[in-house]
Amino acid sequence: MIDKKTLLASLLGASVVLPLPALGQDESSDSDPVTLRMAYDADPVSLDIHEQLSGGILQLSHLTHDPLVRWTKDVKFEPRLATDWERIDDKTMRFTLRDGVKFHTGNDFTAKDVVWTINRLKRSGDFKAIFDPIASATAIDEHTVEIKTHRPYPLVLNLATYIFPMDSEYYSGETEDGDPKDEIVKNGDSFASRHSSGTGPYEVVSRQQGVKVEFERFDDYWDKDSPGNVDRLVLTPIGENATRVSALLSGDVDFIAPVPPNDLERVKADKNVELTTMSGTRIILMQLNQKRVEAFEDPRVRQAFNYAVNQQAIADRLMKGFATPAAQLSPKGYDGYNDSLEPRYDVEKAKELMKEAGYEDGFSVTMMAPNNRYVNDAKISQAVATMLSRINVDVDLKTLPKAQYWGEFDDRAADIMMIGWHADTEDSANLYQYLTECPDAETGAGQYNAANYCNPEIDEKVAQANVETDRDKRAEMLQAVEKALYDDAAFMPLHWQDLAWAAKKNVKLEPVVNVMNFPYLGDLVVEQ
C-alpha cells in the first residue's frame, strides 16, 4: 500500500506514475475504487493555485481546495468553507467559517488560514488586481473573519469565490535550500508549485508535467453530504483535438474537455457517450501592442483592424456555430453588456481608415497565439492573419503549446497576441481590470493587457462603477465603458466561446458543470 502523505510530501513533481484501473475495472478487493480517467487539452502548469490566474489553475483549485463560497449553476452563491456571511457596514463583511475541516496534512482549518491566504493573494502578480479593493482581513476568532475594503465595494462575495484557503502552517518556513515555502514564482520552480495541501475533495498523489496528474479522494474530506463517489482521478493532457475525442470514443478515457466544434456531431452520434453543452462567457480577442508598433497608437489603425476581421465567418466556419460573434468584452447577461454594439466587418471601410492614417500600403507585424488552450485557437489566429492581409498587413504568425505560450505572453513577445478571458468575478469590471486598464505592476491593473493600451478616462469610469452599489446605475456606467472601448478600438474582439464536455453514459456530468467551466468533480457521480 502506497502511503499518500509520503507521496504528497516527497514525490510531487517527480516522474511517478501509479497504475490505476479503468472505470469499473475489477481489483482484488470486493469494494472497487471508482476511477475517472480524464483528458483535458492541457494540464495545470503548477500546483500553486496563486501562480497563474487561468481556467486550468481554477479547475485544479476546485479539486484540491475549497472556496469560501461557490457559484451555483444559476450563478448564485452557496456556502462552502464559509457557512454564513453578513455585511457589517458598507466596507466590512463578516464570514463565519465551517468547523471541523481538515487540510490534507491533517492540520485544522481556521480563520488564520483565510487571513494568510488573502494576504498571499494580494501579493500574487496575477491575483492582486482582483484583491486590490480589500484593505484588510482579520481573524476575529478561530472561525470568524472580517474582510474590510478600502471603499464601498459591491463584489466582496464574488471575490470570496476565489478565496481557496491554503494550509498556512504547511507553507510557512523555508525549504532545505533556504527559499520561503510561500513564495510565488511565475513560470518557475517553487515549493508551492510542487506541493499541495488544501481542504478539497482530492489530494495530488503524483504529477508528471505534461504527461499525467493523479488524484485520490481525501479520506477526511469535510463534505460528507456530497454525492460524489469517484475515488481516483487520472488527468492526461491530450492537446490534439481529434486524438482527445478518439480516446473517449475508443474507451481509453471516460471524460474529455473541451469537445471541439468539428467533432460535436461525431460525439453526439456515439450511443456510448453523452455530450453536455452550455453557452459560454469566455471572450476570445486579439490585443494590439502599442509599445511595439507605433501604428497601433492611432485609433484609426485599430479600428481598421477591427473592420478587417469577419467574426461571423470565424464563428460559422471554424467554430461550426459553436460561438457567438463579439463586439465587446461583456457577454449577454453581464451588467456591462451593451446591446447597441455590433461587429463591424467592412473591408472597404478598413482600407479607407488605413489610408486616412497614412498606412495605405500596410506594414508587417508579428502575431502569437496558443495552439492548445482555446477551441481552434491556432486556426482562428491563422484566419485573422489572412483577413488582415486584405488591408496589406503582413502577419508573421507563431503558435505555441499553452505551457510555452504563457511565458511569451507575459513577456509581450509579439505585436499581436491572443487572449481568452472569463470574468473571474462574473462581472464586467473584471474584464476591464485585467484586459484594458492602464498596466500598473504595483496594483496589478492591466495584468493581461498585452496591448499596453491606456485610457485614464475610461479607467476612471470603471473605478466609479466599482464603488456604486445601486445595480441599475452601475450597469449604465459599465455599458458606457463598453461603448468607449468600442469607439477607441482598444482590442479586436472575436467571439464568446461556447462550452462542451463529453463522457461515458454512466458519468453524470450535467449536474457538476457550469458556465464558469469549473466542473465540481468532487460531487461527480459515476453509476456502477
Side-chain angles (χ1 to χ4, degrees):
M1 178 71 178
I2 296 175
D3 180 72
K4 292 188 292 184
K5 296 298 188 294
T6 301
L7 278 170
L8 182 65
S10 62
L11 294 180
L12 282 175
S15 297
V16 179
V17 180
L18 303 181
L20 297 180
L23 194 65
Q25 180 178 322
D26 289 338
E27 285 192 335
S28 57
S29 169
D30 291 334
S31 179
D32 297 334
V34 177
T35 297
L36 182 76
R37 300 165 302 164
M38 307 159 50
Y40 281 174
D41 53 353
D43 56 345
V45 298
S46 173
L47 295 183
D48 186 348
I49 62 171
H50 296 165
E51 183 178 323
Q52 183 185 84
L53 180 53
S54 67
I57 289 295
L58 291 168
Q59 288 171 352
L60 173 72
S61 299
H62 282 284
L63 288 175
T64 56
H65 295 67
D66 275 302
L68 293 186
V69 299
R70 190 170 77 175
W71 294 108
T72 62
K73 287 181 78 70
D74 56 353
V75 199
K76 298 189 183 330
F77 302 108
E78 66 177 354
R80 294 306 288 170
L81 293 185
T83 58
D84 198 10
W85 48 87
E86 61 177 322
R87 183 168 284 283
I88 304 303
D89 56 48
D90 61 357
K91 297 181 183 178
T92 309
M93 186 81 83
R94 179 178 295 167
F95 291 86
T96 301
L97 305 180
R98 194 174 297 277
D99 194 4
V101 176
K102 296 282 188 182
F103 284 103
H104 297 158
T105 57
N107 293 331
D108 291 326
F109 161 67
T110 67
K112 72 174 184 179
D113 299 300
V114 176
V115 173
W116 184 93
T117 298
I118 291 173
N119 289 335
R120 190 172 191 260
L121 283 161
K122 286 177 68 64
R123 62 183 175 85
S124 162
D126 274 27
F127 284 88
K128 63 184 177 183
I130 289 183
F131 285 88
D132 182 62
I134 293 182
S136 66
T138 305
I140 305 303
D141 56 41
E142 280 203 344
H143 296 98
T144 308
V145 171
E146 281 191 356
I147 296 177
K148 290 184 178 292
T149 55
H150 293 289
R151 56 192 66 85
Y153 185 63
L155 303 177
V156 175
L157 278 180
N158 301 55
L159 295 189
T161 66
Y162 290 93
I163 299 174
F164 294 85
M166 296 176 70
D167 188 342
S168 61
E169 182 177 342
Y170 180 67
Y171 292 101
S172 295
E174 296 182 346
T175 67
E176 292 181 357
D177 296 329
D179 297 321
K181 289 184 177 180
D182 66 345
E183 72 172 335
I184 303 170
V185 180
K186 191 72 182 281
N187 303 313
D189 186 28
S190 67
F191 179 85
S193 71
R194 294 177 284 104
H195 298 77
S196 175
S197 176
T199 63
Y202 294 101
E203 299 177 87
V204 178
V205 294
S206 75
R207 175 172 176 256
Q208 194 174 4
Q209 183 70 49
V211 178
K212 186 181 293 186
V213 187
E214 300 183 7
F215 306 82
E216 286 189 4
R217 192 148 188 113
F218 178 40
D219 292 338
D220 291 330
Y221 184 47
W222 64 267
D223 190 358
K224 304 304 180 186
D225 294 328
S226 170
N229 68 341
V230 177
D231 301 299
R232 297 176 178 178
L233 294 173
V234 181
L235 169 58
T236 302
I238 303 178
E240 213 285 319
N241 285 334
T243 304
R244 188 168 62 254
V245 172
S246 295
L248 175 66
L249 300 185
S250 67
D252 290 337
V253 299
D254 312 304
F255 161 44
I256 65 169
V259 181
N262 290 343
D263 289 299
L264 292 172
E265 294 304 320
R266 180 183 170 202
V267 171
K268 282 181 185 177
D270 193 298
K271 66 181 189 325
N272 296 315
V273 302
E274 187 163 332
L275 179 69
T276 301
T277 63
M278 190 177 293
S279 296
T281 56
R282 181 184 298 279
I283 180 74
I284 305 296
L285 65 148
M286 294 287 191
Q287 296 176 321
L288 312 175
N289 194 327
Q290 297 180 30
K291 284 191 175 181
R292 291 176 59 98
V293 180
E294 183 179 356
F296 290 160
E297 296 177 5
D298 191 326
R300 293 170 298 183
V301 173
R302 301 195 301 267
Q303 290 165 1
F305 273 50
N306 274 273
Y307 277 107
V309 174
N310 189 342
Q311 293 105 324
Q312 189 67 56
I314 291 173
D316 289 345
R317 298 170 194 169
L318 292 181
M319 300 298 290
K320 306 296 183 184
F322 200 62
T324 303
Q328 57 189 301
L329 293 176
S330 297
K332 194 170 186 178
Y334 276 33
D335 286 343
Y337 177 75
N338 189 326
D339 59 11
S340 71
L341 305 180
E342 297 181 352
R344 42 188 163 184
Y345 175 58
D346 186 335
V347 176
E348 293 307 312
K349 176 68 173 178
K351 290 178 178 178
E352 290 175 13
L353 286 165
M354 290 288 281
K355 182 177 181 179
E356 184 181 326
Y359 295 100
E360 182 177 10
D361 295 330
F363 48 85
S364 297
V365 293
T366 58
M367 179 189 291
M368 199 173 285
N371 56 28
N372 64 348
R373 175 61 187 96
Y374 311 114
V375 178
N376 284 338
D377 41 19
K379 291 181 179 178
I380 291 167
S381 57
Q382 181 60 63
V384 170
T386 300
M387 292 171 182
L388 291 176
S389 70
R390 298 170 187 164
I391 58 172
N392 299 319
V393 174
D394 181 30
V395 178
D396 179 10
L397 171 64
K398 182 178 182 180
T399 65
L400 296 166
K402 169 187 170 183
Q404 299 173 30
Y405 180 70
W406 289 121
E408 297 293 323
F409 185 93
D410 290 337
D411 291 339
R412 310 300 193 245
D415 304 331
I416 304 175
M417 303 200 81
M418 175 184 281
I419 182 76
W421 199 265
H422 168 263
D424 309 296
T425 53
E426 302 303 321
D427 181 76
S428 298
N430 175 267
L431 296 160
Y432 317 137
Q433 189 172 32
Y434 276 91
L435 300 176
T436 65
E437 283 191 358
C438 300
D440 186 332
E442 187 74 22
T443 65
Q447 175 72 20
Y448 284 80
N449 179 359
N452 287 298
Y453 173 80
C454 183
N455 188 320
E457 292 182 6
I458 295 178
D459 289 0
E460 179 58 29
K461 292 178 186 292
V462 177
Q464 292 171 3
N466 278 341
V467 296
E468 177 55 66
T469 55
D470 183 303
R471 181 160 182 168
D472 290 337
K473 290 181 180 178
R474 187 168 185 272
E476 290 180 6
M477 297 166 78
L478 294 174
Q479 288 163 23
V481 169
E482 287 288 1
K483 180 65 164 60
L485 291 171
Y486 179 90
D487 290 343
D488 209 22
F491 50 87
M492 294 170 60
L494 298 178
H495 55 262
W496 293 288
Q497 179 179 291
D498 288 352
L499 302 172
W501 308 265
K504 289 183 176 179
K505 289 281 189 182
N506 62 331
V507 178
K508 301 305 173 184
L509 274 186
E510 198 280 332
V512 302
V513 297
N514 48 59
V515 73
M516 288 73 66
N517 197 17
F518 312 145
Y520 299 148
L521 297 180
D523 296 333
L524 179 67
V525 173
V526 173
E527 293 181 347
Q528 299 279 35

